[in-house]
Amino acid sequence: MTQARPKIGLALGSGGARGWAHIGVLRALRELGIWPDIVTGSSIGAMVGAFVAADAFDKLERELATMTRTRMARFFIEAHLPRRGLFSGQAVTRWLEQPDLLGVLDFSQLAKPFAVMATDLRSGQAVVLREGNVAHAIRASISIPGLFDPVLHEGVVLIDGGFSDPVPVVAARALGADFVIGVDINGDPEDAPFVQHPSLIATLLQTSRFMERTIGRLTLAQAPADYLLRPKTGAIQTLNFAGGRNLIAVGEATVHEAKTSLQKALDHVLHS
């Protein structure tokens, strides 16, 4: 009797503009012939992961190749009253649902099992989103408090998934992954440029980053990935999407440096 090939899970972490590193990681994994059967993501990791789960990663690559500062800014420039966050996040949803990107897509239509992480604002518990509209789930997962409006989902107010499970390894295992590759892109906040009189937004984002780093360390200690990739993303602030483009190369380099040990770990699972 032929033994089924172990399923590879990919848990893509939160981190805003540092999510550019996910693109590089995925490109390098693809070059090595390592591609996930199962995908989970938190915040920006959910956004990138959705394209992988939809077999549309090439669409995301093409879109990002032509992404300008002006187009990036449109995600944050919108008429929005009353305010529960600086931005409603509707521009992000509209972008994701463009026909040449994800389109209006339900989880049941995805090519691979996929889970999106969000956080219950009342309890602080992680919420796993696996049903309904994919873009709406992503919108909940990226709801950084103070920046984007929280999302009401089935009577629960949801905020950014990074506040409960920044690198969702447990969710990947729950979907059936035998070997989980985690990608932690939070980096070291102390590596980023700092000013003595930060703005309100800068203060909120830096505080959020500290929290996500601490929560990530705790959750990964409790439920470690089989292999953890940590691209050196610390110098990039959460909203520096223009500067973050350089992290594609950093993500690629991280995988190439880990090539031997990653392949060895995978081979052990494949032949055990």
Side-chain angles (χ1 to χ4, degrees):
M1 182 177 178
T2 303
Q3 186 175 5
R5 180 181 70 81
K7 293 180 179 179
I8 298 173
L10 184 65
L12 298 174
S14 59
R18 293 179 293 280
W20 282 104
H22 286 320
I23 306 301
V25 165
L26 284 158
R27 285 180 179 175
L29 289 176
R30 183 174 57 191
E31 290 174 8
L32 296 178
I34 301 171
W35 201 243
D37 303 291
I38 291 163
V39 188
T40 61
S42 193
S43 199
I44 192 66
M47 186 179 292
V48 175
F51 285 89
V52 178
D55 276 349
F57 183 61
D58 57 333
K59 293 183 179 181
L60 180 60
E61 286 187 291
R62 286 195 298 270
E63 175 72 5
L64 295 180
T66 60
M67 185 71 75
T68 63
R69 286 174 180 261
T70 301
R71 290 180 63 198
M72 289 180 195
R74 289 175 185 166
F75 293 147
F76 306 102
I77 300 174
E78 53 187 352
H80 177 41
L81 289 173
R83 295 181 184 274
R84 291 175 295 149
L86 290 177
F87 311 104
S88 72
Q90 293 177 3
V92 176
T93 303
R94 288 194 297 269
W95 176 74
L96 288 168
E97 292 192 329
Q98 292 179 91
D100 55 344
L101 290 176
L102 286 180
V104 180
L105 192 64
D106 191 273
F107 276 89
S108 64
Q109 297 172 288
L110 293 170
K112 304 177 188 297
F114 179 50
V116 171
M117 303 307 301
T119 303
D120 182 337
L121 183 57
R122 182 178 184 181
S123 69
Q125 297 298 308
V127 176
V128 183
L129 302 175
R130 286 274 294 118
E131 297 179 343
N133 182 284
V134 174
H136 292 179
I138 295 169
R139 169 63 190 84
S141 188
I142 66 169
S143 299
I144 300 173
L147 190 67
F148 288 117
D149 284 356
V151 170
L152 183 62
H153 174 77
E154 297 181 353
V156 179
V157 178
L158 300 177
I159 60 170
D160 195 289
F163 285 86
S164 57
D165 197 353
V167 185
V169 173
V170 171
R173 295 203 193 283
L175 290 178
D178 301 300
F179 185 94
V180 180
I181 300 172
V183 187
D184 180 0
I185 59 168
N186 196 50
D188 190 341
E190 294 180 7
D191 290 341
F194 186 75
V195 295
Q196 291 186 335
H197 303 287
S199 67
L200 172 61
I201 292 298
T203 301
L204 283 171
L205 293 176
Q206 187 76 344
T207 304
S208 296
R209 192 171 175 188
F210 288 141
M211 291 179 64
E212 290 191 33
R213 180 179 63 170
T214 300
I215 294 167
R217 287 175 176 175
L218 289 171
T219 55
L220 286 170
Q222 293 169 352
D226 295 290
Y227 199 94
L228 184 62
L229 296 167
R230 277 196 167 118
K232 295 178 181 179
T233 61
I236 298 299
Q237 296 284 23
T238 301
L239 293 186
N240 186 11
F241 284 93
R245 192 184 294 270
N246 296 329
L247 293 180
I248 293 177
V250 173
E252 289 179 305
T254 300
V255 174
H256 290 311
E257 290 168 7
K259 175 182 175 181
T260 301
S261 59
L262 173 58
Q263 195 63 64
K264 183 177 180 180
L266 268 171
D267 288 344
H268 177 74
V269 173
L270 292 171
H271 297 106
S272 62

